Structure formats: structure tokens, C-alpha cells
Amino acid sequence: MMKNNKLRVDQQEANKLSVEGKTDSKVLINLGIKFVFLYFVLLMFDVLLDGLMMIFDFLVELIHILIEIVELLAEEGVEMVFHTEHHQSETILLNLVSIIALILLYYFIKALPHLIVVWEKRLLNKMKEYWRERVLQWHLFSIGLKLKFTLVYILGSLGLIMLLG
């Protein structure tokens, strides 16, 4: 009974995949585009990495400015409410932020094993689903398309080897 259920589910997913209506040429063109994109990334790696680092640096600076604004507002609030001097309000805020950070770190470390298990299960489920879908698609392809796919993968891999070598 369980085997028939699994077979029925696989057949329904195969029908769903075949209904998408992708022709052989569209599938091969998509694969070729993926290889061209990979070549582009490898050829422009240093430029892309510099751009990503620039964006990361900008975001860090923006977060730093926001933290400074919040810190200034909190210091002014502490000085107004408790009638303290600037140095005393800085000390109060530093101690408060340190205590909050340590409490958050404690609970994060305590929850980390559970989070790792949950993330690992989700990742494994996604990978199994992806591979099952790919295997079903592979079984739906004709022999000619399988040969074309193999040829495109061989040519793409050889191009990558020549590009890297």
C-alpha cells in the first residue's frame, strides 16, 4: 500500500513537471545560460568581490551611524532623567548594554544546538526535494535530450577547466 502511494505521488509530480511545457531547446538554452553566467562570475570575480565589499562597507558605516544616533539619544535621556554628568551616563549605558549583550549571548549559546538541528533538517529536506525533482525530470527526458545534456555538461566543464587552467 505504501509503495503504491509513493508511486502515485511520483507519477503526479512527473505529470506536474511535464506540464510545464519546456521544450528541449529551452532546457538546453537555460543550461547554456547557467554556464555563461558561471564564466562571467569567474572572469569578473575580483570586480564582483570589490563591489560586494563596497556594499558591505557602506552597510557597516550606515549601521554605525544609526548606533551612534541611538547612543546619543540614550545618553541625553539618562542625563535628563537621572541628572547625571556625561561620563556617568556613558558608564550607565555601557554597563546596561554589556549586561543585555551577555544575557542575549547566553540564550543564543543555549539555543544554538537546537537551531543547528532545525537548520540541518530543513537543509536536508530541501536537498532531498531538489534531488528528487531533478531525478524525476531526468527520467522524463528523452534519450536524445539526455545525450545533448551530457554533451553540454562536458563542453561546459571543459570550458571551465580551460578558463581556470
Side-chain angles (χ1 to χ4, degrees):
M1 179 70 178
M2 191 71 136
K3 209 172 203 182
N4 291 338
N5 240 2
K6 184 173 175 13
L7 184 61
R8 187 176 301 128
V9 168
D10 287 345
Q11 287 174 347
Q12 288 173 351
E13 288 184 12
N15 290 337
K16 184 179 79 170
L17 290 173
S18 64
V19 170
E20 290 178 3
K22 290 186 176 180
T23 62
D24 293 356
S25 60
K26 284 184 181 178
V27 171
L28 290 173
I29 288 172
N30 285 341
L31 183 60
I33 289 172
K34 289 177 185 175
F35 272 111
V36 168
F37 181 72
L38 186 58
Y39 293 155
F40 176 75
V41 168
L42 287 175
L43 289 172
M44 302 287 291
F45 187 75
D46 57 339
V47 175
L48 293 172
L49 189 62
D50 286 343
L52 287 175
M53 290 305 293
M54 184 178 63
I55 291 170
F56 179 73
D57 186 44
F58 175 73
L59 290 175
V60 167
E61 288 298 324
L62 188 64
I63 291 171
H64 178 256
I65 290 171
L66 292 174
I67 289 172
E68 287 291 331
I69 291 171
V70 169
E71 180 187 4
L72 181 65
L73 291 173
E75 283 178 12
E76 293 294 327
V78 168
E79 287 176 12
M80 242 174 39
V81 171
F82 295 117
H83 306 293
T84 59
E85 295 177 7
H86 183 70
H87 179 71
Q88 292 170 333
S89 62
E90 282 182 342
T91 306
I92 291 170
L93 285 175
L94 177 66
N95 289 335
L96 181 66
V97 169
S98 299
I99 290 170
I100 291 172
L102 288 174
I103 291 171
L104 290 176
L105 182 66
Y106 169 76
Y107 283 114
F108 177 72
I109 290 173
K110 193 174 177 181
L112 194 59
H114 176 71
L115 290 175
I116 290 173
V117 169
V118 168
W119 290 340
E120 182 182 16
K121 284 182 183 178
R122 286 184 184 175
L123 179 65
L124 287 175
N125 286 337
K126 292 284 184 184
M127 285 175 50
K128 286 178 185 176
E129 180 181 320
Y130 175 79
W131 280 105
R132 202 166 104 237
E133 181 181 319
R134 292 294 157 210
V135 168
L136 283 173
Q137 280 184 346
W138 182 256
H139 289 298
L140 289 175
F141 292 153
S142 66
I143 297 293
L145 184 59
K146 288 179 182 178
L147 289 173
K148 290 176 188 175
F149 248 103
T150 306
L151 182 65
V152 170
Y153 269 112
I154 289 171
L155 289 175
S157 299
L158 286 175
L160 284 174
I161 290 170
M162 290 175 64
L163 182 67
L164 294 176

